[in-house]
Each structure stands twice: as C-alpha cells, then as structure tokens.
Amino acid sequence: MRSIWNGAISFGLVSIPIKLVNATESHTVSFRQIHTEDGGRIRYRKVCELEDREVTQAEIGKAYEDADGTIIPITDEDLAHLPLPTAKTIDIVAFVPADRIDPLQMENAYYLAASGAPAAKPYTLLREALKRSRKVAIAKFALRGRERLGMLRVVDDVIAMHGLLWPDEIRVPQGVAPDVDVTVRDKELDLADALMDTLGEVDIQDLHDEYREALEEVIAAKAAGEAPPEAPEPAPGGKVLDLMAALEKSVRAAKQSRGEEVGEEAGEPAEEAEVRHLPRGKRAGAAAKKTTAGKQAPAAKKTAAKKTTAAAKKSASKAQSSRSAKKTASTAKSTTKKTPAKKTASRKRTA
C-alpha cells in the first residue's frame, strides 16, 4: 500500500519512524456529468479570472482570502516553517481507556507501518504496551495543512490511528430529542430487551452494500441494452397504534427467522399489532366521506327497516279488519235468509 505521509511517532524520548497508510477504501459507484442531448462529458476548467484563460496545475498555488476580500498568498515554504512539532511527528500526549473516546469524534482511519528495520523494535514495544494496558494513545499530528487529533490503538499486529475531531467541532444536539413527555413502561422495556436478545449478534463481515450491488445490476443491464430490473413494491406506510403488540409481533418474527417456536405453544400472546394506514392527499377526503357514509348507512337501513315494519303492521291490521267486516256481513246475510224460511214453515204447520 502506498504511504500518504512519512514521519515518526514520538513516545516520550523514543522516536519511531513510520509511514502513514490509508486503512479504508471507498467502493462507491461514481458517476460522470454529461450533456443529456448528446452524451458529451461535462468538464470543469480552471480559469484565471484576471487573464480570462485556462491555467495548468503547475501555475496554481494557495492563498487565504481575508474578510475584506484581500488575497494573501501562502507558499509551501511558508507551511514548512510552521512552528509546530507535529509537522512531521505524531506526538503522543496521553494514554486513556478506549471508552473515554466518543465515537462522534472519529474520522478517517490509517495504518502506521514501521519505516525500516531500526523502527521494528520500538514499534513492537509500543504495540505490546498498548495491548497490555488495554488503553489507547491520544496524539497530535499535522496532515493536509492543519493540525489534527488522533487515537492510536492495536488492530491485529498493527498500530492503527483514527483521526479525531477536536472537542469544539462536535455540535451540541440541542432541539434534536423529542420535546414531549413520554412514559415508557417496564413491560415495554422488557419486550424491547427480548427483541434485542432475539435478534442477537451479527458478523460484520457478512454485511454488504446492497444499494451498490443493485446499482451495478442497473448499469450492467443498461450496458447490455436490456431493461433495468424493476424495483419491488414499497411497503405501505402506516401508523402503529399499539406499541406493545408491535413489539410482540417483532419478537415473534425475529424468532421465526431463527427457526424458533412461536405462538401459543411457546406461551406467547397471539395478538397482532394494529396498523392503520394514513390517508394521503385526496385520499383523506375520500376516506372521510367513506367513513361518514359507512356510519350513516346502518342508521338509514335501521330507519327504513322500522318504517317497513310499521307499514307492514298497519297493512296487516287493515287486512284483518277488512276480513272481520266481510265475515260479519256474510253472517248477517245468512241469518237474514234463514229467518223467513223458519217463519214460512211455522205458518204451514199452523194451517
């Protein structure tokens, strides 16, 4: 690996010649800017605004722009004479427990390689001292035009250094936390702990950049003149209304993914989280109308049913009255007809 900085580690009166090597690399897929009409590359040219002409890299230097717009040229010779002991030295200032370092401070990572055979012994001494103490070294060093803070630790058999932000470069998270009072119950915490335990640990080596892989598939398809793969349908957004049920469902899903028993036979509740999908845009009005109509429909049906029942009863009553009237009339008529016959028979006997 190519070194990006050569210097020494200052460890008290011990000086260890080292080379600084990048410990990480980027696998990000990069794009070029093009002219969409003809596919031509878009390039940037460095032009001197006073002469209005393009200049080469050899003609470009550094300068500081003052608040009033004054340009103050700064040469490499000026930087070489900076009164800093860290210009070519990683100066260790303290050894502290690793948990004293806030991960928010960590920046780029580097490997420190011993430069030459004479550096092997002091390099190994520092490495073993760090291992046995279980501490990290805090150091100052200068790189790319400014002094930086660093943390030295052991990775396998190599001393690694993490660039650190200065404490005043870490912003205070004011206004970031929720500004409402929330009470978390012990049962909810117990379920969250159970979910954490069920998910278990993961081997970082098994994780990979799925976005980059999908992007590479799209590029390969376009290069072959094929249609790019279609994206899966995104899961509909929703609002979890029952946190406990959601936690319980998450625990069951995690156990299922690991092949563990879930459900009633495992002594777990069978309830599922209630999720209500939030209406968006015009759907909100439609949903509201649908809900109102849904509420009104049963009432309308009930009212109509009542009216129908009343009408039916009234019709039945009329029909019954009509039948009674007809029966009475028929009985009266029959009686009227029979009475003269009886009188006639009586007269004949008398005669």
Side-chain angles (χ1 to χ4, degrees):
M1 292 185 283
R2 186 175 64 87
S3 63
I4 61 172
W5 184 89
N6 295 330
I9 299 175
S10 176
F11 177 30
L13 297 178
V14 178
S15 181
I16 311 170
I18 57 97
K19 295 179 180 179
L20 196 67
V21 177
N22 278 321
T24 61
E25 59 185 2
S26 174
H27 292 166
T28 303
V29 177
S30 59
F31 294 101
R32 304 291 186 187
Q33 290 186 328
I34 62 169
H35 188 197
T36 55
E37 291 187 5
D38 53 22
R41 281 280 306 277
I42 302 297
R43 298 181 182 272
Y44 293 97
R45 296 180 178 179
K46 298 179 179 180
V47 177
C48 174
E49 63 180 17
L50 296 180
E51 299 182 10
D52 194 21
R53 67 176 182 86
E54 186 177 357
V55 296
T56 63
Q57 186 62 38
E59 299 176 89
I60 299 175
K62 301 181 183 68
Y64 174 80
E65 184 175 0
D66 207 350
D68 60 359
T70 303
I71 299 298
I72 305 172
I74 302 295
T75 65
D76 292 338
E77 185 178 356
D78 296 331
L79 297 176
H81 289 84
L82 285 175
L84 286 176
T86 56
K88 284 293 182 181
T89 304
I90 298 174
D91 187 19
I92 295 177
V93 297
F95 292 88
V96 299
D99 59 7
R100 288 270 302 275
I101 305 301
D102 190 337
L104 283 174
Q105 288 186 257
M106 293 188 181
E107 287 191 304
N108 297 333
Y110 308 94
Y111 289 137
L112 304 181
S115 182
K121 181 65 180 286
Y123 182 96
T124 305
L125 173 64
L126 176 59
R127 183 190 68 197
E128 296 304 314
L130 287 171
K131 280 184 179 179
R132 191 168 71 171
S133 68
R134 297 183 180 180
K135 293 183 178 182
V136 296
I138 304 300
K140 289 183 176 182
F141 67 102
L143 182 66
R144 298 190 178 99
R146 71 184 184 95
E147 188 175 55
R148 300 166 184 259
L149 199 60
M151 179 189 75
L152 278 63
R153 68 185 184 97
V154 178
V155 177
D156 295 333
D157 289 331
V158 176
I159 299 175
M161 181 174 70
H162 295 269
L164 299 178
L165 295 172
W166 296 99
D168 61 358
E169 292 179 312
I170 304 297
R171 300 175 65 183
V172 177
Q174 186 175 1
V176 178
D179 58 354
V180 295
D181 293 333
V182 177
T183 301
V184 178
R185 294 176 292 170
D186 290 339
K187 190 174 181 181
E188 293 170 334
L189 281 174
D190 292 341
L191 278 172
D193 291 340
L195 178 58
M196 292 167 64
D197 293 338
T198 304
L199 290 176
E201 298 181 358
V202 66
D203 187 352
I204 299 297
Q205 301 298 327
D206 294 336
L207 302 180
H208 57 280
D209 188 348
E210 296 182 9
Y211 178 84
R212 177 171 59 87
E213 292 177 356
L215 187 57
E216 289 173 347
E217 289 182 9
V218 171
I219 294 172
K222 297 277 286 186
E226 302 173 355
E230 295 184 1
E233 288 291 333
K239 180 180 180 181
V240 178
L241 301 182
D242 190 340
L243 180 60
M244 289 291 294
L247 286 170
E248 291 168 354
K249 185 176 180 181
S250 299
V251 172
R252 290 198 301 273
K255 287 185 176 180
Q256 284 179 338
S257 67
R258 298 177 63 174
E260 299 181 16
E261 290 187 358
V262 295
E264 295 180 357
E265 67 276 5
E268 296 177 2
E271 296 181 2
E272 292 191 356
E274 179 187 358
V275 178
R276 181 178 299 168
H277 298 296
L278 302 177
R280 297 179 181 176
K282 295 182 179 179
R283 291 184 184 177
K289 289 180 181 178
K290 188 175 180 181
T291 303
T292 304
K295 289 181 179 178
Q296 292 175 349
K301 288 181 180 179
K302 192 173 181 180
T303 303
K306 286 183 178 179
K307 289 182 178 179
T308 303
T309 303
K313 287 182 179 179
K314 190 174 183 181
S315 299
S317 177
K318 286 182 177 180
Q320 187 174 359
S321 300
S322 177
R323 284 196 297 270
S324 299
K326 287 182 179 180
K327 187 175 180 181
T328 303
S330 176
T331 303
K333 187 176 181 180
S334 175
T335 304
T336 304
K337 286 182 179 182
K338 288 180 180 179
T339 301
K342 288 182 178 180
K343 288 180 178 181
T344 305
S346 177
R347 288 174 183 174
K348 285 181 178 182
R349 289 192 205 100
T350 304

